[in-house]
Amino acid sequence: MIKAAVAGASGYAGGETLRLLAQHPEIDIVTVTAASSSGQPLGNYQPHIPQLADRMIQETRVDTLAGHDLVILALPHGHSGAIGDALAESGDNGIVVDLAADHRLVDADEWARYYGGEYCPAWTYAMPELLHAGESRAVKQRALIANSTRLAVPGCNATAVTLAAQCAVNANIIDTQSLVATLAVGYSGAGKTLKPHLLASQASGTLAPYAVGGSHRHIPEILQNLRLAGATGDARLTFTPVLAPLSRGILATVVAPLKCGITRADVDQALAVYDEEYLVTVTQAPTWPTTGPLTGTGAVQIHWSIDERAGALVMICAIDNLGKGTAAAALQSANIALGLPEYTAVPTIGVAP
């Protein structure tokens, strides 16, 4: 059995990761760690995983995490970098998967602009479906993941926007200087930290935009992905996330001008890249992507529509922010790095109603 440790086990991302790992036939959860909740049973924080309820949460330390085949860091931004470095210095050869932003960005200046603090070098980006310019299928990214022991899981919003738009970018059918993305986002994306604006009494019955006007931290990550897929260096993105009164889910709507002469056949051919992606379903009108059926899964729904009068392509993507947006993506990529079948224990069946 593969020995696994999860740091940040008491949070939403850590809990979802543990839920998926607990159902993995090849992985044994040996260690769970956290900060303020250390010394308490995991069941106090993740009661939905009864088989791990009596597991005691340990303090998050390098010596506690070392020696495992797989370490998943579900920690706040700014905490994973030091632990990842220390594990490497200790000679630990296990696979480390970071759910935070610490190792996503290749540009140190962009890190300083959006996050601040010490920059950590980028790890292999853990999005198996990520396209590379000149590649007609997402083969190269999977190969990079398979040969890596350090993986950076994408941000949930970055996942939704990238998956919505990357095929159009790769096929060069849209103007990437005028990308506009609007997202409805579930509250679990904000984590468990108690803040007044995240209380149920404040969230219920209202829509609340945040990080407006180009300030959201996932913007440089999205542009990094789209440039890899083929966008020019002057690609520009207007990005507006809106908190919606639901626990989980992201519905991203991305709009861009179609280039002159692009036909419906060109659009269909570009989107056909996803025909070979097991987790991605391309919906047909009038069935639009919705978040509900994806709850608890690593699945993705995509739809494209041509707005003839505006000369634009409307690209919609739905995911579960804790599923494909976080934990399921981590597990999918960890499977590849471990040499296991890619979709082992990655859930595709949602919960309804």
Side-chain angles (χ1 to χ4, degrees):
M1 293 287 283
I2 294 164
K3 298 186 298 181
V6 175
S10 58
Y12 287 141
E16 184 69 354
T17 300
L18 288 167
R19 183 180 76 86
L20 301 187
L21 291 178
Q23 302 172 76
H24 199 296
E26 303 292 337
I27 294 178
D28 180 24
I29 302 169
V30 175
T31 304
V32 294
T33 78
S36 60
S37 57
S38 62
Q40 301 181 57
L42 184 67
N44 289 357
Y45 297 89
Q46 311 294 0
H48 61 298
I49 316 174
Q51 59 267 56
L52 299 176
D54 295 332
R55 195 68 55 88
M56 296 304 295
I57 301 173
Q58 301 182 52
E59 185 179 350
T60 300
R61 300 197 314 265
V62 173
D63 59 341
T64 304
L65 298 174
H68 296 81
D69 303 305
L70 174 65
V71 175
I72 296 185
L73 303 176
L75 302 172
H77 303 322
H79 292 73
S80 303
I83 292 177
D85 290 344
L87 284 171
E89 291 170 3
S90 71
D92 189 275
N93 294 319
I95 292 170
V96 182
V97 182
D98 184 14
L99 304 188
D102 293 30
H103 298 96
R104 293 175 190 160
L105 298 183
V106 299
D107 189 326
D109 291 336
E110 289 285 65
W111 173 268
R113 178 181 177 184
Y114 282 88
Y115 291 92
E118 184 177 355
Y119 172 72
C120 298
W123 288 356
T124 300
Y125 199 68
M127 181 186 286
E129 300 86 358
L130 185 63
L131 295 172
H132 290 244
E135 302 283 340
S136 60
R137 292 289 183 269
V139 175
K140 187 171 183 178
Q141 197 64 27
R142 283 184 167 90
L144 292 173
I145 293 169
N147 292 294
S148 179
T149 60
R150 296 292 185 268
L151 302 174
V153 175
C156 54
N157 294 312
T159 295
V161 175
T162 299
L163 292 177
Q166 67 165 352
C167 295
V169 171
N170 187 257
N172 194 30
I173 63 173
I174 58 172
D175 179 1
T176 57
Q177 294 186 48
S178 301
L179 293 162
V180 178
T182 305
L183 290 78
V185 182
Y187 272 77
S188 60
K192 278 188 175 180
T193 303
L194 183 61
K195 299 177 181 178
H197 75 283
L198 301 179
L199 296 173
S201 58
Q202 298 293 324
S204 179
T206 191
L207 297 170
Y210 66 101
V212 177
S215 61
H216 196 283
R217 291 173 167 181
H218 288 178
I219 291 173
E221 183 181 347
I222 295 166
L223 290 173
Q224 175 178 289
N225 294 345
L226 297 183
R227 289 185 182 114
L228 189 65
T232 58
D234 56 358
R236 290 181 291 184
L237 171 68
T238 298
F239 180 93
T240 306
V242 180
L243 285 171
L246 65 162
S247 296
R248 303 163 69 127
I250 295 176
L251 185 68
T253 302
V254 186
V255 180
L258 275 170
K259 290 192 171 180
C260 293
I262 298 300
T263 66
R264 179 76 244 184
D266 296 324
V267 170
D268 290 341
Q269 182 178 359
L271 193 55
V273 171
Y274 284 144
D275 289 349
E276 296 183 10
E277 290 294 347
Y278 175 70
L279 296 177
V280 180
T281 298
V282 176
T283 68
Q284 302 298 320
T287 302
W288 317 111
T290 55
T291 60
L294 306 180
T295 300
T297 79
V300 182
Q301 290 184 357
I302 303 281
H303 180 85
W304 285 4
S305 292
I306 297 176
D307 186 333
E308 299 283 0
R309 295 187 66 179
L313 183 63
V314 180
M315 300 159 280
I316 303 174
C317 175
I319 62 170
D320 180 337
N321 60 296
L322 291 178
K324 181 56 176 170
T326 308
L331 180 55
Q332 180 186 358
S333 294
N335 281 334
I336 296 173
L338 290 164
L340 301 173
E342 180 174 340
Y343 306 110
T344 305
V346 177
T348 57
I349 300 175
V351 178

